[in-house]
Amino acid sequence: MDNDTSSQTAQNDLQVLRTSSLTGALERELEHLILTGELKPGERLNEIQLSARFGTSRGPLREATRTLEAKGLVDAIRNRGVFVRSISPEEALEIYDIRAALFGLAGRLLTDMITDAMLIKLNEFLDQMDEIAQQRDFDRYYPVNLQFHDFLIRSTNNKTLAREYKSLVNKLHLCRARGLVQAGGLAVSNHEHREMVDALASGNRERAQEAFFRHVERSKQRFTTTLAK
């Protein structure tokens, strides 16, 4: 290979890397906008506005939306465009059922892995959420609640479980009903969290699996209550 060919190959590889990095960054930014509700379910992703906002061409933006479609966060409709996905109540209830099974498995796996350091970290989360719950501040409680659950899932060291669980949770974000506030309060949710951590500390795998499963089942019941209202 002569120098000119080698140089051209290196430039092409660098361009691929730059495009890949840009696409990944755009994907994360769009996912954030969707999961925080800035881009709402059913809303069309305006390529011109988003390109201007992020200072990029439409190519990487389209690559990013294709990845988000694979994650189930957007729908691409031919001749119409890309829209933030809307989750029906029926689909949400099905997702809750699958999430409960996966979360129960996480509790079972964690029982054999729990350490004093992990329990200290979990109790710090619980204390923080108790303090926020007393103020009935959903906007502060919600992200800490997500961090708590994310810590539990990541601590299983099961990448497949973590990937599938995150996908389910992301889809439930698309129908963000504030069931914690409307149907019993933040304190009730955090009481269930304490049951889960106590079960882990007991070393009883069946008890932990049941506590984790029951927490999601109760979340489903709270969600169902909001639908009735």
Side-chain angles (χ1 to χ4, degrees):
M1 183 182 294
D2 59 37
N3 290 338
D4 288 342
T5 302
S6 178
S7 177
Q8 184 62 48
T9 300
Q11 289 178 12
N12 291 340
D13 290 345
L14 182 58
Q15 183 60 39
V16 169
L17 179 60
R18 285 172 175 166
T19 303
S20 176
S21 300
L22 176 58
T23 299
L26 289 171
E27 177 196 336
R28 290 189 293 273
E29 287 295 328
L30 290 172
E31 184 172 334
H32 176 75
L33 294 178
I34 292 170
L35 298 183
T36 57
E38 185 171 340
L39 289 173
K40 296 176 173 52
E43 184 175 347
R44 182 175 179 273
L45 273 61
N46 188 308
E47 284 189 357
I48 296 176
Q49 291 180 358
L50 291 172
S51 294
R53 175 171 181 164
F54 297 124
T56 183
S57 62
R58 297 191 196 181
L61 196 61
R62 287 172 182 168
E63 288 294 327
T65 56
R66 276 194 277 270
T67 303
L68 292 176
E69 183 181 15
K71 287 183 175 182
L73 294 179
V74 301
D75 289 320
I77 302 177
R78 189 173 181 180
N79 298 326
R80 289 188 58 199
V82 179
F83 298 80
V84 178
R85 187 176 176 194
S86 296
I87 300 292
S88 69
E90 294 76 16
E91 184 178 1
L93 293 175
E94 292 176 355
I95 293 172
Y96 269 112
D97 288 338
I98 301 172
R99 180 188 170 196
L102 280 180
F103 202 50
L105 174 60
R108 187 179 185 89
L109 294 174
L110 277 173
T111 310
D112 296 331
M113 307 169 64
I114 200 71
T115 64
D116 289 342
M118 289 167 63
L119 287 173
I120 290 172
K121 178 67 174 176
L122 289 170
N123 278 289
E124 288 174 351
F125 275 122
L126 296 177
D127 291 343
Q128 185 179 2
M129 284 187 284
D130 269 341
E131 180 182 346
I132 299 171
Q134 290 176 4
Q135 303 168 22
R136 295 180 61 84
D137 189 340
F138 178 86
D139 290 325
R140 286 181 59 212
Y141 185 93
Y142 192 68
V144 180
N145 177 57
L146 291 179
Q147 292 168 26
F148 171 77
H149 286 83
D150 184 61
F151 179 78
L152 289 170
I153 292 296
R154 285 188 293 105
S155 295
T156 66
N157 293 327
N158 188 312
K159 294 180 180 178
T160 301
L161 187 154
R163 182 176 62 251
E164 296 302 322
Y165 183 84
K166 186 172 188 253
S167 173
L168 295 173
V169 170
N170 283 347
K171 290 175 183 176
L172 287 177
H173 285 326
L174 297 175
C175 54
R176 289 164 55 111
R178 297 193 173 194
L180 292 173
V181 173
Q182 298 174 1
L186 307 178
V188 173
S189 173
N190 207 39
H191 176 73
E192 295 168 13
H193 294 157
R194 289 197 179 276
E195 290 179 343
M196 291 157 48
V197 175
D198 287 345
L200 289 176
S202 75
N204 186 316
R205 286 186 291 175
E206 287 72 23
R207 179 183 167 189
Q209 183 170 6
E210 176 62 23
F212 277 57
F213 181 90
R214 189 168 57 242
H215 175 55
V216 179
E217 279 286 287
R218 288 171 176 169
S219 297
K220 176 186 174 183
Q221 291 169 9
R222 286 189 283 270
F223 175 74
T224 303
T225 301
T226 66
L227 296 179
K229 289 184 178 180

